[in-house]
Amino acid sequence: MASGKIACQHIDRQKYTPWLIVIEKQNWYHLSESGEKFPVNKSNFSLAMKGQTIRFDGVFNAIHGTPGEDGKLQGYFDLLNIPYTSCGVDISALSFNKFLCNRFIRSFGIQVAASFSFLRGETIDKEKVIRELGLPLFIKPSASGSSVGVSKVNRPEDFEPAVEEAFRTDRRILIEEALLGRELACGLMKKGNELLVFPITEIITQSDFFDYEAKYSDGKTREITPAPLPEETETDIKTLSAMLYRQMDCNGFVRFDYILTETGLYFLELNSIPGMSEHSLIPQQAEAFGLTLKELFTWTVDNLFL
């Protein structure tokens, strides 16, 4: 909701008329500036308002998590031939599934954290997992957004509650080694045929890790943009991110997250619809790049009609 409102606020209204659409599980509606709700016709994604039928030329997709980040909405809009600002069905589904995405990333020779994966109902050998991955470790849903359902396990007795928490969000979970290092984020976006690579952000959190509370609460993290990195390291991260953007056929703006350890750089995840709220990283990176929020959001919509 915060990201959607920021987008509506900053898109150039000399060029576009934005409509804020709220998508709940069964209830889809336009939320007007006065607070009125007008239902969306799901058969063609239109609105009936005061004797008019409103049809949309394009969609600015600001939904983190399902159904906006995992390919479900993308498939729906593809069927209706309505262009959207985010990645397509295939890469959205792949990047949202951490288990499959890590396997894909590893095929390029890029380091990812050692891990185990389990489906609900499978036997988990706790002792074996801890022996091979060590403590602390992370237990997370394979598919979730905004770090929902993610736990850091520091003690053996915390293992089972973390597994239960992850399974509340997804039927497949991922158990990963904890990588000790600097957390770095690299945002990118297309402007026509040009790929813009934004300054890198370093995330320093007061929480045990960059969890939901740390992402969306004031004062929980320090975010340094541009990150204080050696020039060679910065170039490597930006080059790798640009390569992955193209190889994965990304669209719109995305964010690649990494952990820089003493043994090298590890891929953490691809956020195909990164947060755009006042707490989010992409707006900070765009500002450091020299873009206003108006340019950032308007250029993203411009890409739909090139």
Side-chain angles (χ1 to χ4, degrees):
M1 291 296 295
S3 294
K5 287 176 180 177
I6 290 289
C8 275
Q9 179 182 342
H10 290 284
I11 286 173
D12 185 353
R13 298 199 178 202
Q14 297 296 315
K15 300 179 72 172
Y16 304 111
T17 303
W19 300 76
L20 186 65
I21 304 295
V22 179
I23 294 184
E24 299 172 348
K25 284 189 176 180
Q26 302 300 327
N27 194 20
W28 296 20
Y29 57 90
H30 163 57
L31 182 63
S32 72
E33 293 183 357
S34 64
E36 292 181 90
K37 296 180 180 180
F38 298 89
V40 171
N41 182 343
K42 296 179 188 176
S43 66
N44 60 8
F45 200 65
S46 66
L47 295 175
M49 288 181 58
K50 302 173 183 177
Q52 299 182 68
T53 298
I54 308 297
R55 299 183 184 276
F56 303 107
D57 299 298
V59 170
F60 188 103
N61 186 357
I63 297 179
H64 322 307
T66 190
E69 197 170 5
D70 57 2
K72 293 175 183 175
L73 272 184
Q74 289 86 337
Y76 167 76
F77 291 129
D78 284 344
L79 289 172
L80 295 175
N81 292 316
I82 299 175
Y84 46 85
T85 57
S86 59
C87 298
V89 174
D90 48 0
I91 195 57
S92 297
L94 174 66
S95 62
F96 198 68
N97 187 311
K98 297 176 180 66
F99 171 68
L100 296 178
C101 189
N102 281 354
R103 291 196 164 206
F104 179 81
I105 292 295
R106 194 181 287 123
S107 72
F108 290 99
I110 300 167
Q111 295 185 103
V112 299
S115 65
F116 290 92
S117 181
F118 299 95
L119 290 168
R120 184 182 289 116
E122 291 183 334
T123 300
I124 301 176
D125 187 336
K126 170 181 167 180
E127 285 71 27
K128 178 183 177 182
V129 170
I130 293 177
R131 185 171 62 251
E132 296 202 16
L133 299 183
L135 289 173
L137 54 78
F138 285 98
I139 299 180
K140 59 183 72 174
S142 182
S144 76
S146 298
S147 298
V148 173
V150 179
S151 301
K152 186 176 182 181
V153 175
N154 294 296
R155 306 174 302 168
E157 55 265 36
D158 298 330
F159 189 92
E160 287 84 1
V163 167
E164 293 176 11
E165 177 67 22
F167 274 132
R168 277 194 277 271
T169 301
D170 192 25
R171 61 189 291 270
R172 180 184 285 279
I173 67 170
L174 206 59
I175 305 178
E176 290 184 337
E177 67 173 327
L179 298 169
L180 301 178
R182 302 169 65 183
E183 186 161 354
L184 304 168
C186 182
L188 307 89
M189 72 169 290
K190 273 186 179 177
K191 182 180 183 290
N193 294 322
E194 185 181 3
L195 181 59
L196 308 181
V197 184
F198 295 145
I200 297 167
T201 299
E202 180 171 8
I203 301 158
I204 303 171
T205 179
Q206 295 177 14
S207 302
D208 208 16
F209 66 99
F210 196 38
D211 59 5
Y212 184 95
E213 185 180 7
K215 287 180 177 178
Y216 299 110
S217 300
D218 285 320
K220 288 290 185 179
T221 61
R222 286 178 57 218
E223 293 155 354
I224 304 170
T225 308
L229 294 168
E231 184 177 349
E232 183 179 355
T233 302
E234 178 185 355
T235 300
D236 287 346
I237 292 172
K238 289 182 174 181
T239 301
L240 175 60
S241 300
M243 183 276 288
L244 288 174
Y245 188 104
R246 294 186 174 96
Q247 289 294 324
M248 299 177 81
D249 195 21
C250 293
N251 188 43
F253 48 77
V254 305
R255 197 185 78 230
F256 289 96
D257 293 348
Y258 304 95
I259 297 287
L260 181 62
T261 74
E262 292 182 354
T263 59
L265 186 69
Y266 286 77
F267 173 88
L268 194 59
E269 65 178 331
L270 161 61
N271 292 273
S272 64
I273 303 182
M276 300 301 291
S277 73
E278 59 187 13
H279 298 292
S280 300
L281 301 181
I282 291 285
Q284 297 177 37
Q285 295 177 357
E287 182 180 2
F289 190 77
L291 296 184
T292 64
L293 289 182
K294 184 176 182 179
E295 289 172 324
L296 174 67
F297 288 107
T298 303
W299 286 355
T300 302
V301 179
D302 287 345
N303 287 332
L304 299 179
F305 309 111
L306 296 177

